[in-house]
Amino acid sequence: MSPLYVVCVARHEYLASHIARFFESDEVCTVGVVGVQGVVESTRSCAPDVVVCEYELLTTQPLDEWECDEVLRKTPIVAVSLTRRSNELVPLDCNGIAGFLYLPTLDSANALKLVRAAAARPRYTPGAPTFTGTRSESLSADAPR
C-alpha cells in the first residue's frame, strides 16, 4: 500500500512545518506549505489525498483561488487548531470540512485514523452516473419478477 500524500497548510512556515511533522508517518507523506497560494502551487506537482489546514487560515483568508482549483476543490480538508476545541467552532466555518482536530489533545494514532478516513471519503466526479431513486426502488428493481 502506498503512503497517503498530505499537504499541510498554515498561515506561517513554523506552523505548517509543525503540522507536517505531526502527521508524517510510514503511511503518510507530508509537505508543509504556507497560505492559500502555497497549497494551490503544491498541487501542480502532485495531487494530495488530503489537505490538513490550520483552522484559523480557513476562517480568516479568502479561499476563492483554492475553491476554483480543479484538484483542491475535490480534495478532503481536515481542519486543525492549536487554540480552539471543536465545541468552540462556528458551524458555518465547518461547511465542507471532512474533520476537525484540536491538536494539543491528539495522538498520532488517532491523527492517522482521521487522515485515512478523510482520504477514503467518496468524491464527486462530474458526469458520473448517479441513482436518484430510493433504496426500496433499487431493491425492487433487483428482485426477480
Side-chain angles (χ1 to χ4, degrees):
M1 183 163 106
S2 63
L4 294 173
Y5 177 57
V6 177
V7 174
C8 301
V9 59
R11 295 170 295 161
H12 305 286
E13 184 177 343
Y14 176 79
L15 288 172
S17 296
H18 174 70
I19 294 168
R21 279 190 310 274
F22 184 84
F23 283 89
E24 184 80 33
S25 74
D26 291 340
E27 298 178 42
V28 179
C29 176
T30 63
V31 62
V33 298
V34 177
V36 173
Q37 185 62 37
V39 74
V40 170
E41 288 174 6
S42 74
T43 64
R44 292 189 180 128
S45 60
C46 185
D49 295 299
V50 176
V51 173
V52 174
C53 185
E54 177 192 15
Y55 172 77
E56 288 75 10
L57 182 139
L58 290 171
T59 60
T60 61
Q61 303 293 315
L63 302 175
D64 298 340
E65 190 174 1
W66 184 330
E67 293 167 346
C68 292
D69 185 272
E70 288 295 319
V71 173
L72 287 173
R73 69 179 180 189
K74 299 175 192 172
T75 305
I77 302 167
V78 174
V80 297
S81 181
L82 292 165
T83 59
R84 289 182 185 234
R85 295 176 184 267
S86 59
N87 63 340
E88 299 175 46
L89 302 178
V90 176
L92 289 176
D93 290 343
C94 298
N95 189 23
I97 304 298
F100 178 82
L101 304 172
Y102 179 59
L103 219 48
T105 60
L106 186 66
D107 61 45
S108 57
N110 285 323
L112 178 59
K113 285 179 190 175
L114 189 79
V115 168
R116 270 197 225 125
R121 285 181 65 179
R123 294 187 179 107
Y124 170 75
T125 305
T130 58
F131 180 72
T132 57
T134 64
R135 177 167 162 70
S136 62
E137 288 172 347
S138 175
L139 292 174
S140 64
D142 294 336
R145 301 191 195 273

